[in-house]
Amino acid sequence: MTAAASELTIGQVCARTGLSVHTLRLYEREGLFAGEVRRDGRGRRVYSAWDVEWLEYCMRFRASGMPLATIRRFAELVRQGVGNEHIRLKLLREHRDVVVERIAELSACLEVIDFKVGVYEEHLAQGNAGDLWGPP
C-alpha cells in the first residue's frame, strides 16, 4: 500500500470514528494525539491508520470518564517515546480504579432499578391499579 493510499482525510476519519470535524480539530489543538497530525501539500490534515486507532483509544478513555487533561498527559508520554512506560501504567491504573468504582456504583443503581421493575411487573400482572409511589 502506498503512503497516499494509507492517508485518510478528515472526512474519512469522521466517518470511521463517528467524531465530528470540530472534535478532531479540538483533539489536535488540545494535544490529545499521540503524534503530530500531518498536513498534505495543500495544508489539509492527513491521518494514518495509527491516528484512527489512537482516536478509538481516546474515545474509550473519554467514555469511561477520563478527563481531557489526563488523556493529554498520556498522549504527551506516548510522544516522548520509550522510558516512561511506568508512568503511563500508573496513570492507566489510577483511571482503572476510578472506572471500577463507577461500575460498582452503577451496579448498585441497577439493583434498585431491577427491584422496582420487578415490583411494577408484579403489581401490573396482578391487575392492581394505582401509583406505587404516591401516598396511600
Side-chain angles (χ1 to χ4, degrees):
M1 179 184 286
T2 66
S6 66
E7 295 176 344
L8 302 167
T9 66
I10 198 167
Q12 290 169 320
V13 173
C14 289
R16 289 186 186 197
T17 63
L19 296 172
S20 68
V21 169
H22 173 76
T23 299
L24 288 175
R25 290 176 180 155
L26 170 74
Y27 276 28
E28 182 181 354
R29 274 193 315 274
E30 291 292 324
L32 303 182
F33 279 88
E36 188 171 331
V37 175
R38 295 180 302 109
R39 304 282 180 143
D40 66 11
R42 294 178 158 172
R44 294 177 297 201
R45 290 168 176 84
V46 177
Y47 300 90
S48 67
W50 162 243
D51 292 326
V52 173
E53 184 178 343
W54 178 260
L55 285 168
E56 290 169 353
Y57 292 140
C58 289
M59 291 167 57
R60 294 294 180 193
F61 292 155
R62 286 296 295 146
S64 69
M66 185 181 280
L68 288 179
T70 304
I71 298 172
R72 182 182 310 107
R73 177 67 179 135
F74 190 70
E76 288 170 0
L77 292 166
V78 171
R79 285 192 301 270
Q80 289 173 10
V82 298
N84 62 24
E85 293 82 359
H86 64 287
I87 301 170
R88 294 183 220 175
L89 177 60
K90 180 179 183 288
L91 186 149
L92 290 171
R93 281 184 172 158
E94 288 171 353
H95 184 65
R96 183 185 185 285
D97 291 345
V98 170
V99 170
V100 167
E101 185 176 310
R102 183 68 180 134
I103 289 170
E105 290 172 11
L106 288 171
S107 292
C109 293
L110 184 58
E111 286 180 25
V112 169
I113 293 167
D114 284 343
F115 171 75
K116 291 308 292 180
V117 165
V119 168
Y120 276 93
E121 287 175 343
E122 183 179 329
H123 181 74
L124 292 172
Q126 294 174 359
N128 296 330
D131 187 359
L132 294 174
W133 287 93

